[in-house]
Amino acid sequence: MTTSPIQLPPSLDLPPHLSAHKYFLVCTLTVAAWDTLVLSPRSWRLLKTPGWPILKVLYHFLRVFMPVEFVIVAVAFFDTKWSQPQCQNFYLFEPICTAILLVATSVVHVIRIHAIYDKNRTILYGMGALLAVQIVVTAICCGFYRSVPLLEGQGCIAGPKHNWVGIYWVAPTLLYTVSFVLALLRSFKSLKAKPLSLWKLMLRDGLNLYGAIFLVNLTNMIFWFVITPTDAKDTIKTIVTSMAAVLTTSMTLRIVLSVRGSLVHGGSFALSASQASSSRTTHVISTRTGGVPTNVSTHNAGHTYTLDDMRSKPEAEWNNDKASENEAKPVILDGHDVEQVQHNNPPVGVRITIDRQVGYDDDRQDAFNKR
């Protein structure tokens, strides 16, 4: 007596490539969920910072838009009740939303690379041209996607009508490659001013983030143009696209968070900020010889004076000590003079505001009480 093989429903009887695609999408959703959870504290701190520069707006847009898009895509792909007529009305959702996602991440790269090259217009025009090409190419390619003809219960997914539709991903990959190369060149150039190990250099400038984006998009290109599908139902070409979009977004979010200082105009290069801070000179003037706390607001470090030294030193000696006629002089202000100084806004010199606490000894306090 022979037993007939068990017939599985189409939702369980999946071709190997389609099964791998579903597993890979599960991995993609796991990465998106984990990334959203891990970045929540830093996202909240960024949200509370004043102002809304373009990088901050793009950060919060990407952080919300990316998980929402792929949750919807996953529902269509895994829902066994999703019919093919429904899919015909839905399949363009993923390529259109992913194009929007890639444009937003690319804008972040253009702004950031422009910033680390000290607002170089050549960099801006070059990266801007690549961004414009990407927008045009992805918009055109969205019209050449189709619904992959899967069996009922196997889900809904979009695929290309022709092999050349892969230029949809070539355009952003080219921009991310240029971004990675320019970031590398800027970092290696900074080694002349401040030598660092390659590991510290990578962490300081976020080169691992740019490199990860480049590698995942390069891998996606290999699947698009090297691997050949078995038939019209084979989804092997688009198996990496979701992961590429999620990782590109995730690494771009971290590029924004790695910016030192303000996000206005894309921030500045790490070494530029450190050089600016180290070139300042601060004149710290203390009003105390004892333990009375003093609040001192200074701009500019180097020389430390006490009021006793300044009172005992003749004015001629101060004039003779000047290194040059343009050297900044310390200005000592009492609390009630602050408003007048701020109103006059002197153009030169070092402005120091001192809140002084005057202590009375017991004899003076007793005399005051008797009065």
Side-chain angles (χ1 to χ4, degrees):
M1 181 178 179
T2 60
T3 58
S4 58
I6 300 175
Q7 284 289 86
L8 294 175
S11 58
L12 298 178
D13 189 16
L14 302 175
H17 288 171
L18 182 60
S19 179
H21 198 152
K22 287 181 178 287
Y23 278 115
F24 212 72
L25 185 57
V26 170
C27 296
T28 300
L29 293 173
T30 304
V31 171
W34 173 253
D35 191 69
T36 302
L37 180 63
V38 167
L39 293 184
S40 293
R42 300 175 69 182
S43 300
W44 174 246
R45 288 195 295 269
L46 179 61
L47 183 63
K48 293 192 296 182
T49 58
W52 283 93
I54 186 63
L55 285 186
K56 182 178 177 180
V57 173
L58 289 171
Y59 176 90
H60 289 290
F61 169 76
L62 290 170
R63 189 173 178 273
V64 174
F65 189 81
M66 182 266 288
V68 169
E69 175 194 344
F70 287 102
V71 165
I72 296 174
V73 169
V75 169
F77 197 22
F78 289 102
D79 190 356
T80 58
K81 297 180 180 179
W82 200 285
S83 64
Q84 285 302 310
Q86 286 178 296
C87 191
Q88 290 296 328
N89 298 324
F90 174 80
Y91 71 93
L92 285 178
F93 174 84
E94 182 179 5
I96 292 175
C97 288
T98 301
I100 295 172
L101 199 67
L102 294 176
V103 168
T105 56
S106 297
V107 171
V108 172
H109 283 254
V110 171
I111 294 174
R112 184 60 186 148
I113 296 299
H114 177 231
I116 67 175
Y117 275 87
D118 300 323
K119 314 300 186 296
N120 186 297
R121 289 189 175 273
T122 303
I123 298 293
L124 177 61
Y125 294 150
M127 297 286 288
L130 290 176
L131 176 62
V133 170
Q134 175 186 330
I135 294 173
V136 173
V137 169
T138 52
I140 293 174
C141 289
C142 284
F144 293 90
Y145 272 81
R146 64 185 174 89
S147 173
V148 178
L150 302 177
L151 299 177
E152 199 76 21
Q154 290 183 342
C156 176
I157 190 170
K161 293 180 179 179
H162 311 285
N163 197 50
W164 63 263
V165 180
I167 62 173
Y168 175 103
W169 284 95
V170 170
T173 301
L174 180 60
L175 187 145
Y176 301 139
T177 302
V178 173
S179 176
F180 178 45
V181 171
L182 290 176
L184 279 176
L185 293 177
R186 184 67 179 92
S187 296
F188 288 145
K189 184 179 179 181
S190 70
L191 291 177
K192 297 178 181 178
K194 185 177 181 181
L196 281 177
S197 66
L198 293 180
W199 178 259
K200 290 183 179 179
L201 184 72
M202 179 189 71
L203 296 180
R204 187 195 70 182
D205 298 337
L207 298 179
N208 55 323
L209 305 176
Y210 293 97
I213 293 172
F214 165 72
L215 288 176
V216 72
N217 282 277
L218 181 63
T219 304
N220 188 32
M221 289 294 90
I222 295 174
F223 274 83
W224 265 94
F225 294 105
V226 177
I227 299 179
T228 305
T230 57
D231 54 33
K233 297 180 180 180
D234 195 349
T235 62
I236 190 65
K237 282 185 175 294
T238 58
I239 195 172
V240 187
T241 55
S242 297
M243 181 64 79
V246 168
L247 285 181
T248 298
T249 304
S250 176
M251 298 300 107
T252 301
L253 293 177
R254 284 167 168 78
I255 288 174
V256 175
L257 292 174
S258 67
V259 175
R260 290 174 174 82
S262 173
L263 294 179
V264 177
H265 305 305
S268 60
F269 187 60
L271 188 60
S272 301
S274 64
Q275 287 177 338
S277 62
S278 63
S279 64
R280 297 172 184 161
T281 57
T282 305
H283 299 268
V284 181
I285 303 178
S286 173
T287 63
R288 55 190 171 87
T289 56
V292 181
T294 303
N295 297 327
V296 182
S297 174
T298 66
H299 300 207
N300 302 322
H303 308 287
T304 303
Y305 309 111
T306 65
L307 286 182
D308 294 336
D309 294 336
M310 296 181 67
R311 289 166 182 162
S312 62
K313 195 171 184 178
E315 183 178 356
E317 293 185 27
W318 286 103
N319 294 333
N320 294 333
D321 288 344
K322 293 190 298 180
S324 68
E325 294 182 358
N326 296 327
E327 182 180 3
K329 298 179 181 179
V331 180
I332 308 173
L333 305 174
D334 288 329
H336 63 274
D337 293 331
V338 174
E339 294 182 359
Q340 181 179 357
V341 171
Q342 292 176 345
H343 180 267
N344 296 333
N345 192 20
V348 295
V350 179
R351 186 169 58 195
I352 302 175
T353 304
I354 303 175
D355 297 327
R356 295 185 297 180
Q357 296 184 8
V358 181
Y360 294 91
D361 55 28
D362 296 336
D363 293 336
R364 292 183 179 179
Q365 187 65 44
D366 292 339
F368 179 81
N369 291 335
K370 288 179 182 180
R371 292 179 184 177

